[in-house]
Amino acid sequence: MNPISQFNELLQAAAAQPAPQRLLFVFAGAELPADATPLQRASFEAGEGGALEPLACVDKRLDELSQFEALVAESRDACPPWQVAFVAALGGKGDGEPTDAQVDAALNSMVENVRIGRLQGFLALDPEGNAVAFQ
């Protein structure tokens, strides 16, 4: 599957929902804990392991998104370099979009879940749009 197609499929699925959707993004970087072992340090230097640290979060209406590359470019201007973008959708009720309070609460929850490593339910993508799997 084309890496970007997963993001496009998410956009299509969100657009097909009966209630308006907002997409929520948490951009996270990998960092090495201060008490890391030499093996953990070696893995981290090889591009694996580490702890995820949320760096920024944002919500977008579907009409604000067209291409994953544009989202990446915008994020590069707005936040520090990141390794993983976590994506979730938040639906409104009826014809109404989610309220700003609902969006803020959902983003805060996402940030905390990323911080503690509770990642199920999120689409995780690297900066090229490839799906990221965590073990």
Side-chain angles (χ1 to χ4, degrees):
M1 174 182 291
N2 176 347
I4 303 302
S5 69
Q6 293 179 328
F7 183 75
N8 291 337
E9 287 174 11
L10 177 66
L11 291 178
Q12 291 170 358
Q17 298 304 308
Q21 304 286 305
R22 299 274 282 273
L23 292 184
L24 311 177
F25 299 88
V26 174
F27 300 97
E31 63 181 30
L32 189 63
D35 62 350
T37 66
L39 182 59
Q40 289 170 324
R41 286 186 188 285
S43 291
F44 187 77
E45 290 170 8
E48 296 180 2
L52 290 170
E53 181 60 32
L55 302 171
C57 61
V58 68
D59 70 289
K60 295 283 187 182
R61 289 178 178 85
L62 294 179
D63 62 359
E64 297 175 308
L65 293 167
S66 60
Q67 296 180 347
F68 185 72
E69 294 86 353
L71 176 70
V72 171
E74 182 181 332
S75 73
R76 295 294 186 213
D77 291 338
C79 73
W82 52 272
Q83 283 78 34
V84 182
F86 293 95
V87 188
L90 179 65
K93 298 220 189 266
D95 291 338
E97 288 188 352
T99 66
D100 289 342
Q102 291 170 320
V103 170
D104 288 344
L107 279 171
N108 288 334
S109 177
M110 273 184 79
V111 166
E112 184 57 27
N113 282 326
V114 169
R115 187 170 280 122
I116 64 174
R118 190 179 309 143
L119 307 175
Q120 56 273 27
F122 303 138
L123 174 62
L125 300 170
D126 70 13
E128 288 76 42
N130 298 307
V132 177
F134 296 93
Q135 300 170 357

